[in-house]
Amino acid sequence: YCDDPRYLSMKNFVRTGDALGRDFAFHEIPETLEPFNFKAFRESPMELTTVASDLETGEADYHVMETADDERDIEYLRASASMPLVSHIVELDGKKLLDGGPCDSIPLLHSMLMGNTDKHIVVLTQDSTFVKGPNKTMPLIKRIYSDYPRFVDRVEYRHFEYNRCYRWIKRLHDEGKIFMIQPSEPVTVSSMERDADKLFALYEQGLRVAAENWNALQEYLEK
């Protein structure tokens, strides 16, 4: 559905204020077009935790999904995918939320603090040469979200925290304390990519890297 304007498009944004089509992405696709197994999700012993940014506190908001077909759970999932500047703020349970990236791009520390497991597998979205730079849209961010100074601060200084986190994850992986899976080459797809060939090439790269790391991953899990 990458080329379907109902899914993710500037046409959506112009019409509704959201680049990601809420009803199409979170209802029509999983409920009708590509039926999701909600029963298996509910019965699974694993937990899915969504991460959003709380605009008023400037902190990450974590929500454990219970059913995946409850409207409240869906709204938390939607909040975690609501990119700043191209999405409406999601107001939920007295909070104002957007995508979790600015406040916790890689929630490894949260996972460790929850203490649910002593094994952590971190799947990164950038290769080892990537260094995040300052946000080029900061003037617009400061104007649009001027009522939320704590959130603006997190966006402005996100690149420092992001790069520090990548260094920390690499160190923990080298020490055998976590297992890191990382793209083998620079990722060139954009956050609103609509080129199916580029998306499929990235998918194949992910499969290849997973296969290359499979034996090492099994050794890590069996220690």
Side-chain angles (χ1 to χ4, degrees):
Y1 302 101
C2 64
D3 200 34
D4 191 321
R6 295 174 298 170
Y7 178 60
L8 183 66
S9 66
M10 290 310 296
K11 182 178 180 180
N12 263 348
F13 177 66
V14 171
R15 288 178 55 250
T16 68
D18 283 305
L20 186 65
R22 178 185 181 279
D23 290 334
F24 187 70
F26 295 100
H27 288 287
E28 189 170 350
I29 291 178
E31 294 170 8
T32 305
L33 299 176
E34 307 287 343
F36 181 76
N37 193 333
F38 293 102
K39 180 176 182 294
F41 183 92
R42 286 192 296 270
E43 295 174 353
S44 172
M46 295 185 289
E47 289 184 349
L48 174 63
T49 301
T50 65
V51 187
S53 295
D54 187 317
L55 271 64
E56 295 181 319
T57 66
E59 300 295 335
D61 181 87
Y62 307 94
H63 173 75
V64 178
M65 294 185 65
E66 300 290 342
T67 66
D69 55 356
D70 175 79
E71 192 62 30
R72 179 167 172 268
D73 275 349
I74 292 172
E75 284 298 282
Y76 271 107
L77 187 63
R78 186 168 74 90
S80 74
S82 295
M83 297 178 289
L85 299 180
V86 293
S87 305
H88 283 301
I89 295 171
V90 178
E91 298 193 30
L92 188 60
D93 292 337
K95 297 173 286 191
K96 296 181 179 180
L97 307 172
L98 283 175
D99 177 273
C103 293
D104 197 352
S105 298
I106 310 168
L108 173 60
L109 179 59
H110 174 76
S111 179
M112 290 177 164
L113 292 175
M114 292 302 291
N116 293 331
T117 178
D118 60 352
K119 298 289 184 179
H120 293 86
I121 303 169
V122 181
V123 182
L124 299 176
T125 58
Q126 299 291 350
D127 77 305
S128 60
T129 66
F130 179 80
V131 177
K132 182 176 283 295
N135 192 315
K136 296 179 181 179
T137 66
M138 276 314 300
L140 194 55
I141 290 283
K142 289 180 177 180
R143 186 166 20 141
I144 299 296
Y145 301 108
S146 60
D147 290 339
Y148 310 105
R150 293 187 177 93
F151 173 71
V152 171
D153 281 348
R154 295 304 294 266
V155 176
E156 185 167 16
Y157 300 107
R158 179 191 178 195
H159 59 293
F160 292 117
E161 179 61 23
Y162 188 96
N163 294 329
R164 184 206 63 80
C165 190
Y166 258 62
R167 294 192 298 270
W168 176 56
I169 288 171
K170 175 65 164 57
R171 185 170 69 252
L172 291 180
H173 174 78
D174 291 344
E175 294 171 354
K177 295 178 180 177
I178 68 167
F179 194 87
M180 174 186 72
I181 298 176
Q182 186 172 32
S184 56
E185 55 195 66
V187 173
T188 59
V189 302
S190 69
S191 58
M192 293 183 64
E193 186 63 64
R194 300 183 64 182
D195 186 322
D197 290 336
K198 291 179 67 174
L199 289 168
F200 191 70
L202 180 61
Y203 170 76
E204 289 187 312
Q205 180 191 148
L207 286 180
R208 184 173 65 253
V209 171
E212 291 168 352
N213 282 275
W214 188 254
N215 290 337
L217 174 58
Q218 291 300 311
E219 291 178 10
Y220 166 77
L221 292 175
E222 292 168 1
K223 287 180 182 178

